[in-house]
Every structure is written in structure tokens, then in C-alpha cells.
Amino acid sequence: MDSPRDATISTAFQPSLRIDDRLPDIVIISSDNVYFYVHQHRVLNASTNNMGGLLLFDPAAFPHGFLPSLRLPESGDVLNVVLHTMYGLSCLHFHPTLETVEAALDALIKYGLPMQTHAAPYQPLHQLILSHAPYRPIETYALAGKHELDDLAVTISGHLLSFDLSRVTDDLATKMGPVYLKRLFLLHQTRLHALKEILLRPPAAHPTTPGCNPTEHGKLTRAWALATAQLVWDATPSKAYPAFDVTVPQTMDLPTAPLSIVGISPNSLRALLEPIADTLSCESCRLMLQQRIQEVVFSWSSVKPTV
């Protein structure tokens, strides 16, 4: 088998790769001339359609020392993901882009690999897709929805709590489909409703003291109502809220974007409510405020964070 001058050999699937005490017996060649030396029995065991009906030859029929080859239209990066999936191996260390992973999923379907099996939790493909969720959550969620990978979609949705839903494009909505789009909107609506319900009750009144009567305690009730109204009462699931922080890895060059209030963290919520104490002169009122804030933080932490 003659190789073009620009050919390269896969670093993972080399001629010396021994699997099940066998050396490779076929060569798969990508569109950009990357050569993958693989084992036919492994490929056929993984594929339900003989690699799309392309892998029908018998390697034993070829002369000794000559490996049959199969040229495929996918790039080397895509086939690298496909073949690692076939072998049940992780390719996280190659850092394939999300676009490469998406193309690989399409190729897996074409070549007869059951998606639900290979993308199940704890499988290497599951971990590969999930690795993109912190950095490109909406695109990764749409990809999971496209292939009906529910376990992945549920986990990824936890990264979308602060995502501004008005930024969902028509293409993304089409890709994820109506079911997963609706579930994402319902997640935001449910959490917004829960947040409003949690904040509705103001701090309880303490017994009247010489320095604080019911009229004085009304300052706390009014301050609470003002702070919470500014926070959520005019909010919608897609309304931006710039007053809380979301940590983004320093290595990621990501544009700033509006954030949804339903993604506010318990600690950020606490930080927004605690300044109410600065308006109070009564220590008993401050104590009741702190107790109520603790209840709010606990209740908000308990609200379901995924679809």
C-alpha cells in the first residue's frame, strides 16, 4: 500500500498497536490522509452495519504483509474520536473541539454505533461531550438534545442556569428540538417562581423591646420588600441581571454576556441580602434578618438545578 507524501500515522492507532493479542489487520484512512491501523474484529463488534456497508472484505484474503485499506470522507480528528469510541477509549487528551465531536456523533450514527450505548454515563464519549459543557453550555446542550442523550442534557442544563434564554438562536432551537427547548425554559420559569416564593416572606418580628417597637420593626419589613422587589419581582427567565458574579476560567477567552437571575448562587443571594442590616439599628432586628437570610439560602439551595 503506497502512502501519499503528506500522509501521517495516528499516534493512537499505530501499526504496532496490539489489542486482544492481535496486531492491526486493516488501515482506515481519513480525508486528510491520517492512517489509522485498527483491528477488524473490534470495528465489526462495535458497528451494527459493517461501517456503513464499507467493511466487507476479508483481511486474510490479502497477501501476507499487505493490509487492506478503507478510505473514509471524515477528517483525521473526527475519525480519531470515532475509533476511540469504538475501542471504548478516552480521547479527552486530544482536546477535540465541540465541532469535531458533533461531526463524530454524526459519523457514529452513519457507521452503525448505537449512540445511547456509547454515550451512556461513565462511557468515554459521555465524558468527552460533558467536558465542553462549562465553556459552551448551550451548544453542548443542543447537541445532547439533538441525539436525545437525556442523561447528558440533564447534567449540562445545570450549566445553563445563568444563561440568558433570549440568546437561543433559531438554529440552536432547531438542533435541540422542541422537547429539550421547552424543558430548558421550564427550568428557568420554575426556578424563578421558586425564588419569588422563597423571598416573599419577610423576616419575622421579634418581641417588642424598649428600643424597638412594631413601628421600628417596620423598617426591616420595608427594607426587605425593597431589596427583594429590586431582585426578582420584575424579572423574567431571560432578563439579564448584572449584579452577581459567575466564575469563568482565566484560560477561556469568552465574551461577557447577560446573566439570568435564576442562576444566582446561594452565596451571591446572601451577599445581596445582608446589606439590609446596614439600615437597621436594632440588634434583635438584625438577628431576625440573619435567621431569615439563612432560611432563604437553604431553601434556594434545595431548588432543583437541572431539567
Side-chain angles (χ1 to χ4, degrees):
M1 178 180 60
D2 296 329
S3 303
R5 292 183 178 180
D6 62 345
T8 57
I9 296 177
S10 164
T11 58
F13 296 92
Q14 299 188 358
S16 59
L17 177 64
R18 186 176 290 274
I19 297 289
D20 300 331
D21 204 31
R22 302 185 195 180
L23 288 172
D25 52 6
I26 58 172
V27 183
I28 292 179
I29 308 172
S30 69
S31 60
D32 50 354
N33 293 319
V34 179
Y35 282 57
F36 298 86
Y37 290 80
V38 298
H39 306 77
Q40 186 182 39
H41 74 285
R42 274 300 187 95
V43 174
L44 291 178
N45 285 342
S47 173
T48 61
N49 63 4
N50 293 321
M51 289 290 289
L54 300 175
L55 197 59
L56 300 174
F57 47 76
D58 180 9
F62 287 79
H64 180 69
F66 184 91
L67 299 184
S69 62
L70 175 64
R71 184 173 288 275
L72 298 178
E74 287 78 21
S75 70
D77 288 340
V78 172
L79 287 182
N80 189 50
V81 176
V82 170
L83 291 172
H84 274 81
T85 301
M86 285 184 164
Y87 277 70
L89 301 173
S90 172
C91 60
L92 274 171
H93 53 290
F94 287 98
H95 305 292
T97 66
L98 185 59
E99 288 72 22
T100 295
V101 175
E102 183 171 2
L105 294 186
D106 291 336
L108 289 171
I109 294 173
K110 180 171 70 171
Y111 295 131
L113 273 78
M115 187 69 63
Q116 299 296 332
T117 300
H118 290 280
Y122 307 111
Q123 292 296 318
L125 183 60
H126 181 101
Q127 300 301 322
L128 176 62
I129 298 171
L130 195 58
S131 70
H132 290 278
Y135 312 114
R136 298 181 62 183
I138 190 62
E139 294 89 349
T140 312
Y141 179 82
L143 182 60
K146 173 185 176 181
H147 294 285
E148 298 182 354
L149 302 174
D150 196 68
D151 288 317
L152 272 167
V154 169
T155 304
I156 295 166
S157 68
H159 294 275
L160 288 167
L161 297 180
S162 296
F163 183 79
D164 177 10
L165 295 183
S166 66
R167 296 170 57 216
V168 176
T169 65
D170 291 344
D171 288 342
L172 284 170
T174 300
K175 180 181 291 186
M176 72 179 69
V179 172
Y180 286 93
L181 180 62
K182 179 180 179 180
R183 289 174 66 180
L184 183 57
F185 271 82
L186 285 177
L187 170 65
H188 278 231
Q189 291 171 356
T190 301
R191 284 180 61 85
L192 178 58
H193 177 74
L195 183 58
K196 289 182 176 182
E197 288 293 315
I198 290 169
L199 294 175
L200 179 62
R201 182 168 62 86
H206 61 79
T208 300
T209 63
C212 185
N213 54 39
T215 301
E216 187 70 17
H217 182 267
K219 293 181 179 179
L220 171 56
T221 302
R222 289 191 295 273
W224 180 271
L226 178 61
T228 56
Q230 292 174 339
L231 187 62
V232 297
W233 296 116
D234 61 343
T236 62
S238 62
K239 182 176 179 180
Y241 191 85
F244 61 96
D245 297 325
V246 174
T247 301
V248 177
Q250 294 298 316
T251 56
M252 299 301 297
D253 183 18
L254 297 177
T256 58
L259 303 173
S260 169
I261 186 61
V262 301
I264 188 171
S265 71
N267 285 335
S268 294
L269 185 57
R270 180 195 298 275
L272 289 174
L273 295 174
E274 285 183 337
I276 296 175
D278 297 337
T279 67
L280 306 173
S281 57
C282 172
E283 287 300 323
S284 296
C285 286
R286 290 189 178 191
L287 177 61
M288 301 308 292
L289 172 64
Q290 290 301 322
Q291 290 177 353
R292 183 69 188 110
I293 291 175
Q294 187 60 36
E295 293 169 357
V296 165
V297 169
F298 177 79
S299 297
W300 183 235
S301 301
S302 303
V303 176
K304 189 172 183 286
T306 59
V307 297

